[in-house]
């Protein structure tokens, strides 16, 4: 129990530090970001009332008669209420609504693709590492070459071949524009159809790293004393591979997947841009292009919370998989 409480306390402190940095960084920017935002709102036909200006001052600084401490406390209160300001690039929508609309697209697309590449890579890596020196080892160089290919280059190749030349998949978008988003079968099938090619890009690009890492750990685990002892007892080869070697060899990969799952929220910005996919990566790029500080700040905050949450969950699961960490951690 002490181990879990220490971990929880550590991540709560990390969350507080992330919120504090999110408060401080905009206030270190040259000029007045609030005036820049409000000027852009007026150019887009938005009416700027004192309440809107006050909200932006709490988020970004640059005005007001209150002390920094008072602004900080008000900022924390707004964040915990979900008030992240108004998006300039999607005016008059609030930042929280923009994030809520785009986040599910990225979580489903990149999350499923990341888990799929992890599971397939780990399974293939365990098999190749257990049967090292066989023809299966010839798979490793091919997959490592694919993992070195940039996302955007592979995405463009897949678009050119499977979407443009063969016409098997749509060129862009997250669903058929004639449909209204909902949970009906027609919309879901359209979303899956449009998301297949972007997901395939992520899986093909990342599977090689998981395979190579797991293969090397399996080679090391296969020579450990506990594996040799299990073989001497006459246990089935498949049981030794799964219950003994794989269970220990997968531990470093479990730690690695925490970071990958955390960054699912940030999405693959270039991949989403190539496919014009309506994920949060595209919204972040749109916010940068439009100097939408409130939206950038909100997305960075969500990414930080996602990374911390994913690492916390994996740390807790890691302690269940390997009880030794509860003693040494």
């Amino acid at each position: 129990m002490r181990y879990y409480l220490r971990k929880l306390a550590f991540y709560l402190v990390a969350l507080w530090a992330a919120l504090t940095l999110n408060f401080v960084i905009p206030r270190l920017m040259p000029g007045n970001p609030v005036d820049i935002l409000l000027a852009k709102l007026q150019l887009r036909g938005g009416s700027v009332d004192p309440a809107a200006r006050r909200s932006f001052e709490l988020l970004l600084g640059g005005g007001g008669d209150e002390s920094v401490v008072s602004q900080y406390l008000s900022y924390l209160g707004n964040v915990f209420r979900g008030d992240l300001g108004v998006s300039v690039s999607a005016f008059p929508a609030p930042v929280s609504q923009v994030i809520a609309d785009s986040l599910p697209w990225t979580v489903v697309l990149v999350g499923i693709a990341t888990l799929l590449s992890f599971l397939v890579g780990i399974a293939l890596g365990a098999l190749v590492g257990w049967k090292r020196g066989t023809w299966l080892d010839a798979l490793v160089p091919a997959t490592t070459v694919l993992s070195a290919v940039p996302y955007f280059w592979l995405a463009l190749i897949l678009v050119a071949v499977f979407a443009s030349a063969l016409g098997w998949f749509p060129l862009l978008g997250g669903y058929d524009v004639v449909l209204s988003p909902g949970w009906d079968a027609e919309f879901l099938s359209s979303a899956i159809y449009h998301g297949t090619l972007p997901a395939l890009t992520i899986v093909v690009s990342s599977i090689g790293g998981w395979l190579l890492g797991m293969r090397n750990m399996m080679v090391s685990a296969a020579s450990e004393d506990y594996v040799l002892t299990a073989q001497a007892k006459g246990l089935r080869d498949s049981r030794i591979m799964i219950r003994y070697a794989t269970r220990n060899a997968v531990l470093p990969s479990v730690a690695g997947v925490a970071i990958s799952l955390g960054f699912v929220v940030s999405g693959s910005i270039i991949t989403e841009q190539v496919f014009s996919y309506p994920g949060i990566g595209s919204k972040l790029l749109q916010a940068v292009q439009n100097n939408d500080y409130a939206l950038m700040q909100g997305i960075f905050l969500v990414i930080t919370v996602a990374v911390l949450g994913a690492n916390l969950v994996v740390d807790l699961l890691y302690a269940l998989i390997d009880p030794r960490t509860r003693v040494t951690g």
Side-chain angles (χ1 to χ4, degrees):
M1 179 60 68
R2 186 181 303 173
Y3 170 84
Y4 296 110
L5 291 177
R6 281 205 309 268
K7 286 292 182 183
L8 184 59
F10 170 79
Y11 283 103
L12 286 176
V13 172
L15 176 60
W16 168 78
L19 288 171
T20 303
L21 283 175
N22 217 30
F23 171 81
V24 170
I25 290 176
R27 286 161 173 79
L28 299 178
M29 296 172 57
N32 191 330
V34 176
D35 289 339
I36 297 174
L37 278 175
L38 296 182
K40 285 184 173 292
L41 282 175
Q42 289 174 331
L43 287 176
R44 292 172 177 267
S47 59
V48 182
D49 54 26
R53 183 177 185 89
R54 173 63 181 154
S55 177
F56 280 119
E57 286 174 351
L58 290 176
L59 285 167
L60 305 174
D65 299 327
E66 293 186 65
S67 65
V68 174
V69 175
S70 179
Q71 290 181 31
Y72 178 64
L73 295 176
S74 299
Y75 161 79
L76 290 179
N78 283 353
V79 168
F80 286 116
R81 286 195 301 269
D83 182 6
L84 301 176
V86 178
S87 171
V88 173
S89 54
F91 183 81
V95 169
S96 55
Q97 184 61 49
V98 175
I99 294 176
D101 290 342
S102 58
L103 186 59
W105 291 96
T106 295
V107 169
V108 172
L109 172 67
V110 188
I112 292 177
T114 301
L115 285 176
L116 185 60
S117 62
F118 171 75
L119 294 175
V120 174
I122 291 299
L124 291 177
L127 183 61
V128 171
W130 187 251
K131 298 183 179 296
R132 61 193 181 280
T134 64
W135 62 272
L136 290 173
D137 262 345
L139 294 173
V140 177
T143 55
T144 52
V145 168
L146 287 175
S147 64
V149 174
Y151 275 133
F152 71 91
W153 187 84
L154 182 59
L156 290 172
I157 293 297
L158 293 180
V159 166
V161 175
F162 294 104
S164 181
L166 298 177
W168 292 354
F169 296 99
L171 282 169
L172 47 84
Y175 58 94
D176 195 335
V177 294
V178 301
L179 300 176
S180 299
W183 292 103
D184 56 283
E186 187 177 10
F187 174 78
L188 292 177
S189 61
S190 176
I192 293 172
Y193 178 53
H194 281 73
T196 300
L197 207 55
L200 184 62
T201 303
I202 299 170
V203 171
V204 171
S205 296
S206 57
I207 195 172
W210 298 117
L211 189 153
L212 181 62
M214 186 62 182
R215 185 261 179 198
N216 293 337
M217 290 303 301
M218 280 294 290
V219 170
S220 177
S223 61
E224 295 289 342
D225 291 340
Y226 57 84
V227 173
L228 299 177
T229 302
Q231 291 172 337
K233 289 181 178 180
L235 298 178
R236 286 181 288 111
D237 197 54
S238 59
R239 182 181 180 185
I240 297 173
M241 182 184 75
I242 297 173
R243 296 288 298 275
Y244 292 83
T246 302
R247 183 176 179 180
N248 288 276
V250 78
L251 293 177
S253 297
V254 171
V257 79
I259 300 176
S260 298
L261 288 177
F263 280 105
V264 159
V265 175
S266 63
S268 298
I269 298 177
I270 302 299
T271 302
E272 290 185 3
Q273 188 69 11
V274 170
F275 292 98
S276 297
Y277 198 78
I280 202 167
S282 298
K283 294 298 181 183
L284 178 57
L285 184 60
Q286 180 181 343
V288 172
Q289 292 172 339
N290 290 279
N291 293 328
D292 192 346
Y293 298 116
L295 183 55
M296 282 189 281
Q297 191 179 30
I299 292 176
F300 290 149
L301 180 61
V302 170
I303 291 172
T304 302
V305 172
V307 172
L308 291 175
N311 277 274
L312 173 61
V313 170
V314 172
D315 267 352
L316 300 180
L317 292 177
Y318 200 96
L320 296 176
I321 297 173
D322 186 4
R324 293 172 294 180
T325 58
R326 296 199 293 268
V327 178
T328 59

